[in-house]
Amino acid sequence: MNLFDNRRYVFIVFTVLIGLVFIVRLFFVQVVESSYKVSALNNSQSHVVVYPARGLIYDRNDELIVSNQAAYDIMVVPNNVRAFDTTWFCNILDITKQNLEERLQRAKNYSWRVRSVFMKQVSFDVAAILQEKMYRFPGFSLQSRTLRKYARPVASHLLGYIGEVDKRILEENAYYAMGDYIGVIGIEKSYENILRGEKGLQIFLKDVHNRIIGSYEEGKYDKPVKVGRNMTISLDADLQEYGEKLMQEFVGSIVAIEPASGEILTMVSSPTVDPNMLIGRNLGETIRKLSADTLNPLFNRALMAQYPPGSTFKTINALIGLQEGVLHTTTSYYCDYGYYYRGVHVRCHTHRAPLNLVESIQHSCNTYYCNVFRRIMEDPDYENTEEAFNHWRDHVASFGFGEKLGSDFTNELKGNIPTAAYYDRYYTSGHWNFLTIISMAIGQGELLITPLQMANMTATIANRGWFYTPHLAKEIEGEPNIDPKYKEKHYTTIDAAHYEPIVEGMDLAVNGGPGSTARIAKIQDITVCGKTGTAENPHGEDHSIFIAFAPKDNPQIALAVYVENEGFGGTWAAPIASLMIEHYLKGETNRTWLEQYVLNGNTKKKKNEEAAQGTEDTGNEEEG
Amino acid sequence: MTRRNNIYANVDWISILIWMLLIVFGWMNIYSANIMNGDGTILDFSQRYGKQMLWIGVSVVLIVIVFILDAKFFPFFAYPLYGLMVMMLIAVFLFGKEINGAKSWFVLGGFQFQPSEFAKPFTALALARLLSSHGFTLKSKRSLVLAGMIIFTPALLILVQPDMGSTLVYFAFLLVLYREGFSQNTMILGASLAVLFIITLLTDKSLIVLGIWLVALFLFRFNVGGKKVVTGIFIPGIAIFGLLFAANYFSGMKFPIYHVTLAAFAGASIASLVAALKSRQPAMLKILVGMFVTVLFVVSVDYAMNNLLKEHQQQRIYVTLGMEDDPQGVGYNVNQSKIAIGSGGFAGKGFLKGTQTKLQFVPEQSTDFIFCTVGEEWGFIGTSLVVILFVVLITRLVILAERQRSHFSRIYGYGLLAVLFVHFTVNVGMTIGLLPVIGIPLPFFSYGGSSLLAFTLFLFIFLKLDSNRLELLR
Ligand SMILES: [Zn+2]
């Protein structure tokens, strides 16, 4: 060990050396270099934070849908406040002296040295007058802010809104200061870092009278402001407006996707709010009020409502059956008003029998799918139901069910596809079979799917077996590409060829003549493929679902329409989907009768009910 | 053994005095950085200075406990304490609260607690225990691996939080290995690679490759004497790259210099390799291998940085190195810090007289950038006093460590002084703009209960060991 005892001197020498380097450096910085010193006249610096304009948002047709408007906050640093003309100040701001004291106290409680908001969003005129006289009020300053402005009163769920940062964000992210705005939800939140830009800083020198006498060190320490970047989203504002109009009498949602790109064309959640209501100093109160509403207009049903898919799910079971080789296009089953097996009865409606695969989609036969489901679950290729179930579940998951799709929304939910483990727990292993879970044959039971996932499934069928993750971002200024995950094709586990009979069945469901379930969705010159569905609702009337895409070959639009508490999918959801498709592909509709039918909606029924029960109770428990 | 009760005579009062001076001076600056216009008492626990006062009180209790415990407690429980601390670090990663992007805090009631601060003394204990154990020699590979594991397990757990600053502190323990006889050349090599790593991130890669190449050529020139090879490659090489660089930097052309450099490098290397094999000079081969390894290192660091790390991770590293502005602007903080320190002049503006309200823009005004407040209010006198206090403390600790009879105590002492050295150097260096901004506190000085308690514990365990130095033999 003695060998290394001298190494102690290395430590001592290094420590002393570093100390010397520091002292020399400090001597230069503090004593020699005058440039760091603020002049002896006690001139002080003034820091002005320059807020960038937030990025603009355009829709897919280059229509400017979100822009900015200026507003001014009065800020205060309590530590710098000196005696000032309170009477004049209170008069111009139209507040009492007591209120002035309260506001100052609130600022002091936040911090004596850090700037905080004294008064939010004063009018432009007041700001203009104050600007001139600001030097008379040391400690106070004007801060320009950017508020949003919306060209159309639509799409508030998808665009989201901006609001003041809360305490949690202030604590976690050093960029934001009290009073700053941040995207709270929707696109504004997802693309906050792109849209917000970056705050800049100007340092000025002030004299003893608190007047600015020039920039500090010729702006050497200033930080340039970076303007927020603009973005183009895939939304079709016109279609969105039309969709919201069609849904105004209903509770529910519409999601439309361009199958070839995965771009979201429309995302309606009804009831909705005019985004222009989500601006300004009363935002907090507005939000509180809206949240208290039983139908909660702020709740985004398109992403967060989870419903059983109903008969629309028959398409998936058919595809899995074909892929697993337990079902063929020629397979026929007889249906006598339902499926009976060991005391279990699944009812079916009136239609001709027997039906083959294509006809089973066209007529939406429950019996047929109970048989298909049994064949899948009792597939002799697998050892037991559990193994067969796991294969079935993998197929289902390949459509993006049971997990978040990964769209550019932060509040997307994942729905639910039960696992074998779940049934093992519930019924104990080996004590359940296809009959236990037969309701999933026709899309009921534990299955839960969001409208976005449903629209994505429709796009996948339209594409015959693949999808791009649904997304809104189309172009971002300054970035050559959007997130590569939106350019990645996801293939389902089903071969492309198996989709043809399903598409055929969906074609016939709309265009197949008498007995087809969705004849009301038919459009002249356009081959619409569709499928009705009804989501069982244990809390009230069932929800009506319709999925559709068009044209049949080279699909341009795929969509899912949900209307809550309105029963059979053909009644309302199908005509709404049909009108949406027509509006998107033709730009107009000449079926004004159908439009009127939807726009008048269930008013007749509503009136009857209101007369009967006084007030209507709309159970939207699905949102859980 | 009769000296057992004579703790007052045996304890090192110089270190305790410096500790007290740092704590009191630190608190005064925290008070000044947070005080309102006169109102509010010293013990206002809603304010930072009030909380810090509370922590100082807790520190004193902690010191009493350390001195009551038997000195043998520390070597005996070194491993269990270390194990407990590793579990805490895992727990904080799983259940901790994220503040400023790092998941390194437990929140209990109104108080936040940062386990990574306490990891340092416990790592020092475990390392001292290992290095002082029977039959341990740094010459054995197995022993070295064990020592490495003790040092870098907590470092890795802290890196994933991610807290880059605190992770870097763990390299201080390598200095302990150095004192205990770890190869000097390896230390120098390691340090050079670390410097190379940082340079790779900071500057143009082609310049570095070119630099390595030139160094190798010079080594050839002086060690081997391959004059022809050198002049044959050296002169045209310099000419070509000079032209390319000039074209790119002055005329805005975009030659792919990096790839050209790499290609030229490969060509020149093959030529040198052939020459080396022909002349059968092992020295030449050694230089060539060294050159290959370093270039490979640079290229792989570059590749890892650009291809393996996600963008936000890259961002974090660049921000740490002060290359890219973080949202608030790291470079901006340093400027503000320098302005504040500079404005203090020789004698400072006086206690509580710091008018630089601009410091509101330095977010870590009472934690990582507390030295600014010293500079502004106490001037050059104050800052140099703090520097001198740390230098004296660290050299005093070297002397204390060297007078230990027990290896355990000496190694632990070196762990302590090495960590103090790194904290002091990095923190003050960053505040005065000599080092990149790496957010670690100034020991005993910065605001923060975890840091204060952990460093106090770290120091006083050693002072306890030192006061019992005549009894502890192993
Ligand atoms: Zn049937």
Side-chain angles (χ1 to χ4, degrees):
Chain A
M1 274 303 170
N2 285 337
L3 199 59
F4 306 113
D5 279 357
N6 283 335
R7 288 190 175 177
R8 75 179 75 172
Y9 299 111
V10 176
F11 283 84
I12 293 176
V13 166
F14 261 96
T15 308
V16 172
L17 209 65
I18 293 273
L20 279 177
V21 168
F22 283 174
I23 287 177
V24 168
R25 168 77 170 182
L26 283 165
F27 187 75
F28 271 94
V29 169
Q30 297 192 284
V31 183
V32 179
E33 279 179 45
S34 60
S35 77
Y36 286 118
K37 255 175 273 178
V38 180
S39 111
L41 289 166
N42 200 20
N43 286 348
S44 63
Q45 291 180 3
S46 155
H47 287 234
V48 178
V49 180
V50 188
Y51 279 81
R54 210 170 161 84
L56 308 177
I57 303 177
Y58 296 86
D59 88 338
R60 66 187 299 113
N61 303 314
D62 286 327
E63 181 185 327
L64 178 60
I65 47 174
V66 185
S67 54
N68 296 318
Q69 54 184 334
Y72 293 89
D73 286 354
I74 300 176
M75 310 292 288
V76 67
V77 180
N79 215 26
N80 298 357
V81 174
R82 305 281 173 270
F84 63 99
D85 184 350
T86 47
T87 317
W88 190 88
F89 201 67
C90 287
N91 275 340
I92 188 91
L93 293 181
D94 196 22
I95 54 173
T96 61
K97 283 216 170 133
Q98 194 197 344
N99 188 265
L100 174 101
E101 287 303 323
E102 282 167 16
R103 284 168 187 274
L104 266 178
Q105 193 52 49
R106 215 181 319 139
K108 286 172 187 170
N109 290 345
Y110 174 69
S111 167
W112 278 76
R113 292 188 172 202
V114 180
R115 252 162 45 116
S116 59
V117 178
F118 174 79
M119 193 173 195
K120 264 190 243 177
Q121 295 168 27
V122 295
S123 76
F124 186 79
D125 300 333
V126 172
I129 297 168
L130 273 174
Q131 189 88 62
E132 301 272 296
K133 314 271 182 192
M134 220 57 208
Y135 69 93
R136 284 166 48 192
F137 306 99
F140 290 93
S141 55
L142 272 177
Q143 181 64 63
S144 74
R145 302 273 187 202
T146 308
L147 295 185
R148 285 307 213 183
K149 205 164 83 186
Y150 301 92
R152 295 180 190 235
V154 299
S156 56
H157 283 113
L158 158 160
L159 296 170
Y161 56 90
I162 55 173
E164 255 180 75
V165 290
D166 59 24
K167 219 180 142 198
R168 193 179 54 82
I169 296 167
L170 285 174
E171 211 171 78
E172 287 173 5
N173 191 330
Y175 174 83
Y176 298 96
M178 191 189 169
D180 284 4
Y181 284 82
I182 187 171
V184 177
I185 205 160
I187 284 294
E188 298 276 17
K189 180 178 185 185
S190 313
Y191 293 98
E192 164 73 10
N193 288 349
I194 304 237
L195 294 168
R196 79 171 183 208
E198 240 171 67
K199 289 186 274 190
L201 182 82
Q202 288 176 318
I203 308 176
F204 297 107
L205 269 186
K206 280 182 168 181
D207 66 9
V208 282
H209 304 294
N210 198 33
R211 279 181 301 227
I212 288 174
I213 53 175
S215 75
Y216 177 71
E217 290 284 313
E218 289 152 7
K220 201 161 116 193
Y221 299 106
D222 289 4
K223 195 176 162 222
V225 64
K226 279 191 202 152
V227 182
R229 288 184 276 164
N230 300 343
M231 66 184 286
T232 304
I233 57 175
S234 61
L235 177 78
D236 186 316
D238 191 47
L239 187 65
Q240 176 78 21
E241 188 162 8
Y242 189 63
E244 290 189 13
K245 191 170 125 193
L246 293 178
M247 287 296 285
Q248 67 194 9
E249 290 294 327
F250 304 103
V251 174
S253 57
I254 307 176
V255 179
I257 295 175
E258 184 180 71
S261 61
E263 290 175 357
I264 297 171
L265 300 169
T266 288
M267 204 171 78
V268 177
S269 172
S270 182
T272 184
V273 189
D274 179 351
N276 288 300
M277 276 174 72
L278 303 173
I279 299 175
R281 42 174 149 172
N282 299 324
L283 178 66
E285 204 183 315
T286 313
I287 303 255
R288 255 193 307 285
K289 255 192 225 154
L290 290 171
S291 310
D293 189 325
T294 50
L295 288 178
N296 192 358
L298 292 173
F299 179 75
N300 190 344
R301 288 175 165 73
L303 300 174
M304 303 175 77
Q306 307 178 89
Y307 316 85
S311 300
T312 57
F313 199 72
K314 287 172 183 165
T315 55
I316 302 296
N317 277 332
L319 286 166
I320 296 171
L322 288 169
Q323 182 70 26
E324 290 289 331
V326 297
L327 173 67
H328 304 279
T329 46
T330 50
T331 312
S332 288
Y333 288 106
Y334 192 79
C335 170
D336 184 17
Y337 295 101
Y339 180 76
Y340 305 86
Y341 190 83
R342 289 194 196 159
V344 171
H345 178 203
V346 179
R347 283 196 299 177
C348 193
H349 55 95
T350 323
H351 59 76
R352 65 188 164 80
L355 301 173
N356 66 19
L357 173 59
V358 171
E359 292 162 337
S360 75
I361 298 273
Q362 176 188 5
H363 295 282
S364 196
C365 175
N366 287 347
T367 310
Y368 194 95
Y369 285 93
C370 291
N371 283 307
V372 170
F373 197 63
R374 181 180 180 186
R375 294 287 293 274
I376 296 173
M377 291 300 157
E378 295 188 343
D379 190 339
D381 287 355
Y382 304 122
E383 228 164 79
N384 50 29
T385 310
E386 265 178 51
E387 201 185 324
F389 180 88
N390 284 335
H391 278 87
W392 173 84
R393 194 184 187 281
D394 289 345
H395 287 303
V396 172
S398 76
F399 284 83
F401 295 137
E403 287 299 329
K404 290 185 184 188
L405 281 168
S407 71
D408 36 16
F409 291 97
T410 51
N411 52 341
E412 193 189 309
L413 291 188
K414 57 183 187 179
N416 181 46
I417 308 295
T419 58
Y422 169 81
Y423 292 113
D424 284 349
R425 259 201 320 277
Y426 205 86
Y427 299 106
T428 70
S429 186
H431 287 83
W432 57 278
N433 59 18
F434 84 97
L435 208 56
T436 328
I437 55 174
I438 193 74
S439 53
M440 289 201 292
I442 55 167
Q444 308 292 356
E446 289 90 351
L447 291 171
L448 289 176
I449 286 172
T450 67
L452 180 70
Q453 287 173 328
M454 190 62 107
N456 185 55
M457 173 189 101
T458 314
T460 309
I461 296 174
N463 287 334
R464 278 75 165 169
W466 56 268
F467 65 91
Y468 287 119
T469 303
H471 58 279
L472 263 176
K474 205 166 157 62
E475 272 170 47
I476 294 170
E477 190 190 343
E479 295 205 2
N481 296 304
I482 55 166
D483 195 327
K485 75 175 180 188
Y486 300 133
K487 297 282 179 200
E488 192 185 318
K489 250 186 200 179
H490 300 276
Y491 285 91
T492 60
T493 48
I494 314 290
D495 297 340
H498 295 319
Y499 284 86
E500 286 312 330
I502 308 305
V503 170
E504 206 54 45
M506 288 173 71
D507 177 356
L508 290 179
V510 177
N511 307 305
S516 306
T517 47
R519 291 170 67 197
I520 198 168
K522 185 175 170 151
I523 305 172
Q524 207 72 45
D525 318 328
I526 302 171
T527 317
V528 175
C529 299
K531 180 80 197 77
T532 52
T534 307
E536 281 177 1
N537 175 13
H539 310 290
E541 263 205 79
D542 292 347
H543 307 313
S544 138
I545 310 174
F546 190 67
I547 60 168
F549 65 88
K552 183 181 177 187
D553 304 307
N554 184 26
Q556 305 290 309
I557 179 169
L559 77 177
V561 178
Y562 282 73
V563 181
E564 286 186 9
N565 309 110
E566 295 296 342
F568 174 59
T571 322
W572 298 109
I576 290 172
S578 175
L579 287 166
M580 288 291 285
I581 292 172
E582 191 177 23
H583 190 91
Y584 183 65
L585 296 179
K586 289 187 170 173
E588 53 169 15
T589 179
N590 41 30
R591 293 182 292 167
T592 37
W593 61 272
L594 187 64
E595 210 173 52
Q596 283 313 310
Y597 164 74
V598 170
L599 288 178
N600 292 330
N602 48 0
T603 35
K604 212 178 196 175
K605 182 181 147 202
K606 240 185 205 163
K607 272 188 190 134
N608 290 343
E609 275 174 13
E610 268 163 30
Q613 341 174 329
T615 50
E616 192 192 11
D617 180 9
T618 34
N620 57 322
E621 287 85 350
E622 285 301 333
E623 48 184 81
Chain B
M1 299 299 158
T2 49
R3 297 207 184 198
R4 195 180 187 97
N5 295 326
N6 206 354
I7 195 161
Y8 292 103
N10 282 330
V11 80
D12 183 58
W13 286 103
I14 299 178
S15 306
I16 293 182
L17 181 70
I18 297 175
W19 173 80
M20 276 164 62
L21 285 173
L22 286 173
I23 296 264
V24 170
F25 196 31
W27 182 85
M28 283 167 73
N29 284 288
I30 292 165
Y31 181 73
S32 176
N34 292 282
I35 186 65
M36 312 171 176
N37 279 354
D39 49 344
T41 61
I42 287 170
L43 289 174
D44 180 350
F45 294 133
S46 69
Q47 293 296 325
R48 288 191 153 185
Y49 49 82
K51 283 187 187 159
Q52 187 77 354
M53 192 56 112
L54 188 71
W55 292 124
I56 292 175
V58 178
S59 298
V60 173
V61 175
L62 201 63
I63 291 168
V64 172
I65 293 172
V66 167
F67 273 90
I68 289 172
L69 288 172
D70 192 290
K72 292 195 183 72
F73 172 89
F74 300 105
F76 192 77
F77 282 102
Y79 288 150
L81 284 171
Y82 177 82
L84 201 69
M85 183 263 325
V86 168
M87 281 194 287
M88 291 273 270
L89 288 176
I90 295 171
V92 81
F93 183 66
L94 297 176
F95 314 114
K97 183 175 161 61
E98 186 171 321
I99 293 177
N100 266 334
K103 219 172 169 186
S104 50
W105 303 83
F106 282 125
V107 176
L108 287 171
F111 292 106
Q112 293 165 343
F113 165 74
Q114 200 179 7
S116 55
E117 289 295 338
F118 290 91
K120 294 166 208 167
F122 295 149
T123 305
L125 281 176
L127 188 66
R129 173 74 194 272
L130 177 77
L131 264 57
S132 63
S133 56
H134 249 309
F136 185 92
T137 163
L138 282 165
K139 289 197 181 72
S140 115
K141 283 228 171 68
R142 197 175 151 272
S143 308
L144 265 180
V145 168
L146 272 177
M149 273 167 60
I150 285 192
I151 296 173
F152 291 109
T153 304
L156 269 175
L157 287 171
I158 292 166
L159 184 68
V160 294
Q161 289 179 350
D163 181 351
M164 193 78 81
S166 298
T167 307
L168 288 176
V169 172
Y170 281 80
F171 285 89
F173 289 112
L174 296 180
L175 298 175
V176 180
L177 298 188
Y178 169 71
R179 166 60 188 88
E180 293 307 308
F182 191 58
S183 150
Q184 186 149 352
N185 290 340
T186 316
M187 290 296 292
I188 292 173
L189 186 72
S192 323
L193 281 184
V195 170
L196 193 63
F197 174 79
I198 291 170
I199 294 178
T200 307
L201 298 180
L202 288 179
T203 45
D204 194 328
K205 263 68 64 185
S206 38
L207 278 179
I208 301 166
V209 175
L210 200 60
I212 294 168
W213 187 25
L214 292 182
V215 168
L217 284 172
F218 271 110
L219 288 176
F220 274 139
R221 174 78 179 74
F222 292 109
N223 287 5
V224 189
K227 266 187 192 167
K228 273 183 198 158
V229 182
V230 173
T231 41
I233 301 168
F234 185 75
I235 294 169
I238 286 287
I240 291 169
F241 286 110
L243 279 174
L244 285 181
F245 276 112
N248 276 13
Y249 284 97
F250 297 112
S251 341
M253 310 269 243
K254 280 185 181 136
F255 287 113
I257 289 188
Y258 184 41
H259 296 104
V260 173
T261 316
L262 281 183
F265 173 76
S269 313
I270 290 166
S272 326
L273 195 66
V274 172
L277 288 174
K278 262 188 188 167
S279 57
R280 291 206 182 81
Q281 285 174 323
M284 200 157 169
L285 268 177
K286 253 188 203 168
I287 295 168
L288 273 174
V289 169
M291 186 172 80
F292 278 134
V293 170
T294 36
V295 169
L296 199 68
F297 178 77
V298 169
V299 172
S300 47
V301 164
D302 183 46
Y303 178 82
M305 193 66 192
N306 291 321
N307 300 64
L308 300 184
L309 294 183
K310 298 231 171 70
E311 198 178 328
H312 68 272
Q313 292 168 320
Q314 289 178 24
Q315 182 92 1
R316 194 178 290 284
I317 292 175
Y318 284 131
V319 165
T320 309
L321 292 172
M323 277 179 70
E324 210 163 281
D325 279 8
D326 72 344
Q328 190 79 28
V330 162
Y332 166 77
N333 282 355
V334 174
N335 282 330
Q336 282 310 305
S337 162
K338 279 195 286 189
I339 291 170
I341 291 177
S343 74
F346 183 74
K349 297 173 183 169
F351 185 44
L352 303 182
K353 299 265 168 57
T355 54
Q356 295 298 85
T357 51
K358 62 175 164 287
L359 265 184
Q360 68 184 262
F361 287 94
V362 181
E364 297 93 3
Q365 183 184 340
S366 40
T367 54
D368 296 347
F369 280 92
I370 188 73
F371 200 65
C372 293
T373 314
V374 182
E376 188 187 0
E377 297 193 345
W378 302 90
F380 178 66
I381 297 175
T383 52
S384 46
L385 176 73
V386 172
V387 170
I388 289 168
L389 283 177
F390 271 103
V391 169
V392 172
L393 178 64
I394 293 167
T395 43
R396 178 73 194 160
L397 290 174
V398 174
I399 293 165
L400 295 192
E402 290 294 345
R403 76 179 182 189
Q404 303 304 312
R405 293 187 193 181
S406 134
H407 289 175
F408 175 85
S409 304
R410 183 183 67 215
I411 296 164
Y412 178 81
Y414 266 94
L416 165 67
L417 70 91
V419 169
L420 280 179
F421 175 78
V422 169
H423 266 267
F424 161 68
T425 308
V426 170
N427 181 285
V428 175
M430 126 188 129
T431 325
I432 59 183
L434 286 178
L435 291 174
V437 173
I438 295 166
I440 56 175
L442 190 58
F444 311 119
F445 216 84
S446 290
Y447 167 75
S450 300
S451 160
L452 177 64
L453 286 179
F455 273 112
T456 303
L457 185 70
F458 208 162
L459 174 65
F460 279 85
I461 287 178
F462 180 62
L463 294 183
K464 169 70 182 177
L465 293 172
D466 175 62
S467 71
N468 287 53
R469 64 187 174 279
L470 299 175
E471 298 152 40
L472 294 167
L473 296 177
R474 235 177 56 74

